[in-house]
Amino acid sequence: MAAPGEEEDAMARYRSPLVSRYASAEMAYNFSERKKFGTWRRLWLYLAQAEKSLGLSITDEQIQEMEANLDNIDFKMAAEEEKKLRHDVMAHVHTFAHCCPKAAAIIHLGATSCYVGDNTDLIVLRDGFNLLLPKLARVISRLADFAEKYADMPTLGFTHYQPAQLTTVGKRCCLWIQDLCMDLQNLERARDDLRFRGVKGTTGTQASFLQLFEGDHSKVEELDRLVTAKAGFKRAYMVTGQTYSRKVDIGVLAVLASLGASVHKICTDIRLLANLKEIEEPFEKDQIGSSAMPYKRNPMRSERCCSLARHLMALVMDPLQTAAVQWFERTLDDSANRRVCLAEAFLTADIILSTLQNVSEGLVVYPKVIERRIRQELPFMATENIIMAMVKAGGNRQDCHEKIRVLSQQAAAVVKQEGGDNDFIARVRADPYFNPIHKQLDSLLDPSSFTGRAPQQVAKFLKEEVRPALIPYQSKMGGKVELAL
């Protein structure tokens, strides 16, 4: 509970809405101070354990003391030390040493600040991907269920946002799913490509550790390997400066930005469909769409996704510029920037995936509206089929083409100039010229005959590509997500 006055004070300070309003508790914790400094202490423990195993004079008692105080962090003392020393790592070395007096002499032995700083960042990035991947898989799974359910439902397709040939509701959804499956692969690859910075020293030469082990190169290499394994990584970068290459951050944020582009496209489509009244995102019983217009049903979830996705896409510019301006073995102008952009990218991706899952679990389809729009456009699309049927019945193609040209323009005038319904088929039925095919008109206008292989494509795509990609996440597929504020 907040102390008296503390809550009011919090309301008087800026708080990032990414944490205070939207993000999951798990992702917020992943980028928290407690996770960061707790990881620093674990890295100091891994280093001491590995150094001891390779013969340095470190006792079991010192190791046990460090193990007992991994989460016993006096944040107030650390803040006071940092204010005095102007150095965050040394502030926490002193704070850890204060509660580990026996181990004080060997904490951070041979290491530089980036040993804890960069290695912790890599751990946090890896763990961030591990939080995002099941969420992305859940979104794909929900959309796959939707696509399967509506695989056969014809709907008007659009190119240039103008009426085009028919597709199906499920096939259109598969366009969304395919993009997200690419993102799933990209995020998996980016996570698996991450390596540990490891134990490299101040300029990446491992000179301090070579001195500790009296010139024994094999022990220095083994130290690097042992600490890397303890941190849960299979590989470390073979060469670094003081930091790991900042191009790594580009790769991480690039795949998240690409995910943002996918979500923006999906949610834009949903917003357009909501305007057409064909498909809507879920709208809760007591939800208010507008303070002034009670009838409004705004697609606010999809709008939120688009809004945050733009921020996510823009964030990749930060690591691009940071990597470009790093001088020699490193400069410190990366630090403040990375504190912001890395955390915000994962927090933002977390939010848009949770929101999109909520949307995909409650999409509402209005078949009658979809059918009506098809009836408005399908007669014009059926003209080629009518011509072919007339030719088969003994008619002349050019004569038929001219008849249809005149009738279709008359029908178009009714739609555009008078605001009426498309009466092209009624005009065809009323024209004696088309008597030979009048009985075929209903079958010629069956919407399902205009969707090509869309239903088959949906079934094959879901079976052969989508469902197999979700197998590693099956145990985490359950449960619906509650929408944030």
Side-chain angles (χ1 to χ4, degrees):
M1 295 291 291
E6 190 174 316
E7 187 173 342
E8 290 80 358
D9 289 345
M11 293 299 106
R13 297 194 299 270
Y14 174 78
R15 297 182 300 164
S16 169
L18 293 177
V19 174
S20 65
R21 190 173 178 90
Y22 298 130
S24 68
E26 297 83 1
M27 190 62 79
Y29 173 75
N30 190 51
F31 287 92
S32 69
E33 299 286 88
R34 184 165 293 280
K35 168 75 177 277
K36 175 181 177 180
F37 298 130
T39 304
W40 284 13
R41 291 194 174 188
R42 283 162 176 79
L43 287 168
W44 283 320
L45 173 64
Y46 300 156
L47 181 62
Q49 289 172 329
E51 288 174 338
K52 178 180 183 299
S53 71
L54 292 169
L56 292 190
S57 181
I58 297 173
T59 67
D60 289 337
E61 192 176 21
Q62 289 172 314
I63 296 295
Q64 291 164 5
E65 188 180 52
M66 292 174 73
E67 288 175 333
N69 287 281
L70 291 175
D71 298 308
N72 177 28
I73 304 175
D74 186 338
F75 287 99
K76 183 179 179 181
M77 178 182 178
E80 292 171 351
E81 287 288 330
E82 183 173 355
K83 187 176 181 180
K84 179 174 62 176
L85 301 173
R86 311 300 294 179
H87 197 289
D88 56 350
V89 173
M90 287 309 299
H92 278 270
V93 169
H94 288 188
T95 303
F96 196 20
H98 180 75
C99 58
C100 298
K102 295 174 184 176
I106 55 92
I107 292 173
H108 198 67
L109 182 60
T112 187
S113 297
C114 285
Y115 167 69
V116 288
D118 272 31
N119 283 325
T120 293
D121 286 345
L122 290 162
I123 290 170
V124 168
L125 296 179
R126 179 197 63 194
D127 293 351
F129 279 127
N130 285 334
L131 290 172
L132 291 179
L133 282 163
K135 293 190 174 189
L136 177 52
R138 282 197 294 271
V139 171
I140 294 170
S141 176
R142 305 306 190 261
L143 290 175
D145 293 341
F146 180 86
E148 190 170 49
K149 181 177 180 180
Y150 294 101
D152 299 329
M153 181 179 284
T155 190
L156 184 63
F158 291 91
T159 57
H160 313 274
Y161 200 37
Q162 301 300 314
Q165 287 188 351
L166 300 190
T167 183
T168 70
V169 172
K171 170 62 190 303
R172 174 178 284 149
C173 182
C174 284
L175 298 179
W176 304 339
I177 294 170
Q178 181 167 251
D179 286 353
L180 293 176
C181 283
M182 293 180 190
D183 293 315
L184 188 73
Q185 292 176 337
N186 289 340
L187 263 65
E188 288 174 337
R189 183 170 58 249
R191 177 199 61 190
D192 295 343
D193 283 349
L194 285 175
R195 301 189 195 184
F196 203 51
R197 178 191 175 272
V199 183
K200 297 296 194 298
T202 54
T203 57
T205 65
Q206 299 177 304
S208 59
F209 297 104
L210 191 62
Q211 184 177 1
L212 280 174
F213 289 105
E214 298 179 346
D216 191 331
H217 291 269
S218 64
K219 284 191 175 182
V220 175
E221 290 185 2
E222 181 64 5
L223 178 69
D224 206 357
R225 190 195 67 76
L226 284 172
V227 175
T228 297
K230 285 176 180 291
F233 286 81
K234 294 179 180 178
R235 297 182 300 168
Y237 295 107
M238 293 185 70
V239 295
T240 72
Q242 190 172 89
T243 68
Y244 68 79
S245 171
R246 294 315 184 212
K247 283 187 71 68
V248 173
D249 296 342
I250 297 174
V252 169
L253 264 65
V255 298
L256 297 180
S258 183
L259 170 64
S262 299
V263 174
H264 199 293
K265 184 265 191 294
I266 293 167
C267 291
T268 298
D269 283 357
I270 293 172
R271 292 165 65 190
L272 292 170
L273 289 167
N275 175 261
L276 297 174
K277 296 179 173 60
E278 292 188 6
I279 294 177
E280 286 182 345
E281 65 179 39
F283 196 89
E284 296 169 17
K285 178 177 177 292
D286 296 323
Q287 185 174 332
I288 294 175
S290 167
S291 61
M293 295 167 279
Y295 60 87
K296 292 288 289 296
R297 291 172 65 92
N298 299 331
M300 53 83 68
R301 294 164 170 83
S302 298
E303 289 174 313
R304 176 184 296 174
C305 284
C306 289
S307 181
L308 291 169
R310 288 199 297 272
H311 179 60
L312 181 55
M313 288 186 281
L315 283 172
V316 73
M317 289 304 300
D318 276 347
L320 280 168
Q321 295 183 69
T322 294
V325 300
Q326 284 298 285
W327 302 348
F328 303 116
E329 280 65 47
R330 77 88 48 102
T331 56
L332 196 59
D333 61 343
D334 62 337
S335 179
N337 185 287
R338 294 175 69 253
R339 287 175 190 266
V340 176
C341 71
L342 295 180
E344 287 202 355
F346 279 86
L347 289 164
T348 306
D350 179 68
I351 295 159
I352 63 176
L353 286 176
S354 296
T355 309
L356 185 56
Q357 181 184 336
N358 178 269
V359 170
S360 62
E361 288 171 345
L363 286 172
V364 181
V365 178
Y366 296 105
K368 295 300 182 183
V369 178
I370 293 173
E371 290 170 9
R372 184 178 184 277
R373 184 156 283 107
I374 289 174
R375 287 197 303 272
Q376 289 291 313
E377 302 294 341
L378 190 60
F380 294 148
M381 298 178 194
T383 55
E384 186 175 3
N385 289 3
I386 293 172
I387 292 173
M388 294 300 101
M390 282 295 296
V391 170
K392 288 180 181 179
N396 179 281
R397 184 197 179 282
Q398 274 62 308
D399 292 342
C400 184
H401 184 279
E402 178 60 20
K403 283 276 188 181
I404 287 178
R405 186 188 69 81
V406 172
L407 294 181
S408 63
Q409 290 191 5
Q410 292 171 349
V414 170
V415 173
K416 294 180 179 179
Q417 297 175 19
E418 300 177 19
D421 291 335
N422 189 333
D423 63 358
F424 171 72
I425 295 302
R427 292 175 186 273
V428 171
R429 291 186 190 279
D431 193 323
Y433 175 81
F434 294 98
N435 280 342
I437 64 163
H438 278 170
K439 293 182 179 179
Q440 301 178 45
L441 285 176
D442 287 341
S443 62
L444 291 173
L445 289 165
D446 179 4
S448 64
S449 68
F450 288 82
T451 59
R453 297 192 63 253
Q456 290 75 22
Q457 288 179 346
V458 172
K460 187 178 179 67
F461 174 58
L462 295 181
K463 179 182 178 181
E464 296 186 10
E465 292 196 22
V466 179
R467 303 295 187 191
L470 300 180
I471 290 174
Y473 307 98
Q474 287 298 331
S475 64
K476 299 180 179 179
M477 286 297 182
K480 289 191 175 184
V481 68
E482 294 296 325
L483 184 68
L485 289 175

